[in-house]
Amino acid sequence: MTPRTRSLVIGTLSAIAAGGLLYACRSTGPKPGLVTGDVASKVYVAPGQHDEYYAFLSGGFNGQVGVYGLPSGRLLKFLPVFSQNPENGWGYTEETKPMLMTSHGFVPWDDSHHPELSQSNGTPDGRWLFINGNNTPRIARIDLTTFETDEIIEIPNAGGGHASPFTTPDGKYVVSATRFSVPTGPNRDVPISTYAQNFKGNLSFVAANEPGKMRIAFQILMPGYNYDLGHAGKGPSDGWFFFTSYNSEQAYEKLEQNASKADKDYIAAVNYRNAEACVTSGKAKQTPARYAHNHVDPTSRVARHTMETSVTTLDPRDCPNTVFYLPTPKSPHGVDVDPTGQYIVAGGKLATVIPVHSFDKLQAAITAKKFDKEIDGIPVLNYESIVAGEVQNPGLGPLHTEFDGKGNAYTSMFISSEVVKWKLGTWEVLDRIPVYYSVGHIMIPGGDSKAPFGKYLVAMNKITKDRYLPTGPELAQSAQLIDISGDKMKMLLDFPTIGEPHYAQALPATLIKDKQVKFHQLAKSTHPHVVKAELETGISRQGKTVHVKMAAIRSHFAPDNIEGVQVGDTVLFHVTNIEQDWDILHGFAILGAENAELILQPGETRTFKWVPKTAQVYPFYCTDFCSALHQEMSGYVRVSPAGSNVPLVANISKKAATQAARAGVTVAQPAAAGAGEAR
Ligand code: K7E
Ligand code: CUA
């Protein structure tokens, strides 16, 4: 670290420390991972070559997913999920707006934290990526053949869907636990000071194995703590799920102090197969709840929004031996299960050690009933009886742990800004590397599965400071790529990221790259307003609504002249890109429209809603540079005053007109010069 950089770090950290939390900076430590020798060649992907891994980084407060190639760090795609994306019309088009419907109405934004790849047999299978919406609790499923969000389910009785959407090894469930406890059954008007009586936590298990059919299998009612993160067991601990919680103090104001008093909080260990059995044997209750389930119909590509009306709720008191609390120091954040499934590692963000629980000891303690007490029907296990070990002096502010599959664990240290490598079983620290600065999650490809791919670790840092050219008061977020193939970690690359990545997932490109959909098959489209050829285009009026069925193909729109629209009309442009060719997209934008553009994938129909306010002529055009004559790909809409006698016409091709005439349909052409003036 240069003296200048060090003073910056210290400055930053002490500024935060002044805010009340414990912060420090390691004053002695290893020198920064200076770029040496062959480092550049390790991240160099030559022009025309592909990266070895796809990495999916959550966008945090942008609500989306960023897709990057590793090791280059190149951004491949910005993938919209919970937030509207004007760049391609996601959440603006009539087809996609239903995806963002919730019990609170249309919610065009969220905060996405944890991408999670679908798994089969404990390893990523490349089918889907799940991600949580943290603010208005939701889980989305993204199809990895199209890189599009296909399904979103809302989670009721929750506030802050943070411990989500971690998967079970068989892919049967993804989970969501509420970060903020709220009044439940249902949320209602109660004094906040009745927190201890009325506010509850809950853990949702969402069946996720069938596209279009995500469903909350059951919710487990929990004491009103803050549930933070989760991970499934595997191997010997298969069938269990572990969730961290903090605020066992049940503070409801000034949490910074009031939720940091207890030496230990809890990890909730859930035997979810027991919970399933209790649900099957009728020990759960159906409780009223309103929550949205939205999904894209695969053949029309139109999203449907439905509201669910009840949820299955299980109280641990009615289902003994299902939920246990594992005391864990102190205000734990991450909880990670090692590839063998034996060790459960907590990131006690205010703890001075990294506590590791043993699954075998946990089982023995349950059998021997080594319980310290019981909270709302949940036995609290004795800490000494379940702890496998503690990593001593790991650094400050442990948050998250990933594994390389070779018996090593890697933990992010937020306060001391480093990644620490340590050995499972002996708990000794093997190596440490500084990261710039204040690392949150780290990610090893496959690192939370039973067979990590190893090789790289990505650190996602919260504070960037001086790492890039400055860009005003807000700087880019930063990821760093670290080589973990040897004994010593090696810093390879900094790359700026969009939004604020929390967690990430990655898999070898070979698992998905040959499964990519290249275009949507027009012949199979069931979109109600699709046009499969230019001769199917046309215009029609239903009261004050005008439907325009339009085709886009290099390099024109059909129709491209429209008349007879009146002020007061709502015009729905149903535009189909009738190209059947990979990566040939068209766009659609119209002067003054209070809407985003459309971007049309080949074979896709999207609907643009337009309410013109004044009588005038409006140009429209293609926004995606599609061909040499892209600039010619444009047209006009003439809008007349309300009540005008200008006939409703759209120019269609001669061929289409002939076809229409044969079918007995009268097709008017737009007015010749001077005719059909508005009155
Ligand atoms: Cu940022 Cu997983 Cu939401 Cu930790 S979380 S850093
Ligand atoms: Cu179509 Cu540009």
Side-chain angles (χ1 to χ4, degrees), residues 560-607:
D560 68 0
N561 274 203
I562 291 163
E563 297 195 352
V565 172
Q566 298 180 7
V567 171
D569 284 344
T570 294
V571 185
L572 294 166
F573 293 94
H574 311 286
V575 191
T576 303
N577 176 356
I578 61 175
E579 308 270 1
Q580 293 287 271
D581 210 348
W582 193 17
D583 195 30
I584 302 298
L585 281 77
H586 296 287
F588 178 87
I590 188 162
L591 171 68
E594 294 169 298
N595 204 343
E597 66 163 343
L598 299 180
I599 286 288
L600 302 147
Q601 298 180 356
E604 180 177 68
T605 304
R606 289 287 181 246
T607 298

Side-chain angles (χ1 to χ4, degrees), residues 422-570:
W422 51 274
K423 198 163 176 58
L424 287 156
T426 67
W427 327 118
E428 62 190 309
V429 172
L430 301 175
D431 190 24
R432 52 178 77 232
I433 190 169
V435 287
Y436 303 92
Y437 305 94
S438 303
V439 56
H441 275 274
I442 51 180
M443 179 275 284
I444 292 173
D448 67 348
S449 75
K450 75 169 193 199
F453 304 105
K455 195 161 176 179
Y456 298 115
L457 181 150
V458 175
M460 284 155 277
N461 306 319
K462 300 295 186 191
I463 296 171
T464 312
K465 287 290 166 194
D466 55 352
R467 300 301 284 183
Y468 303 106
L469 287 173
T471 52
E474 184 183 7
L475 304 175
Q477 308 286 329
S478 183
Q480 291 187 292
L481 184 75
I482 296 168
D483 179 350
I484 56 164
S485 59
D487 287 344
K488 294 282 166 201
M489 292 180 275
K490 262 194 228 143
M491 184 62 72
L492 298 179
L493 181 73
D494 278 18
F495 60 100
T497 56
I498 43 174
E500 187 204 29
H502 288 254
Y503 194 37
Q505 294 262 278
L507 45 58
T510 49
L511 274 178
I512 56 173
K513 73 176 176 142
D514 297 328
K515 294 195 264 184
Q516 297 307 302
V517 169
K518 295 196 165 67
F519 55 85
H520 305 288
Q521 289 186 40
L522 207 46
K524 292 193 176 156
S525 172
T526 57
H527 191 291
H529 300 287
V530 66
V531 295
K532 297 186 181 179
E534 283 187 51
L535 53 83
E536 294 176 13
T537 61
I539 189 164
S540 62
R541 172 183 286 284
Q542 291 171 323
K544 292 214 164 286
T545 303
V546 174
H547 291 275
V548 181
K549 295 214 295 186
M550 186 182 272
I553 187 163
R554 280 163 291 178
S555 302
H556 61 274
F557 292 105
D560 68 0
N561 274 203
I562 291 163
E563 297 195 352
V565 172
Q566 298 180 7
V567 171
D569 284 344
T570 294

Side-chain angles (χ1 to χ4, degrees), residues 113-114 162 166 229 333 399-400 440-441 462 501-503:
H113 282 219
H114 305 116
H162 192 254
F166 303 99
L229 280 157
H333 181 54
L399 290 184
H400 297 286
H441 275 274
K462 300 295 186 191
H502 288 254
Y503 194 37

Side-chain angles (χ1 to χ4, degrees), residues 554-555 557 585-587 622-627 630-631 633:
R554 280 163 291 178
S555 302
F557 292 105
L585 281 77
H586 296 287
C622 171
T623 54
D624 192 315
F625 209 107
C626 50
S627 66
H630 156 81
Q631 290 297 85
M633 193 165 173

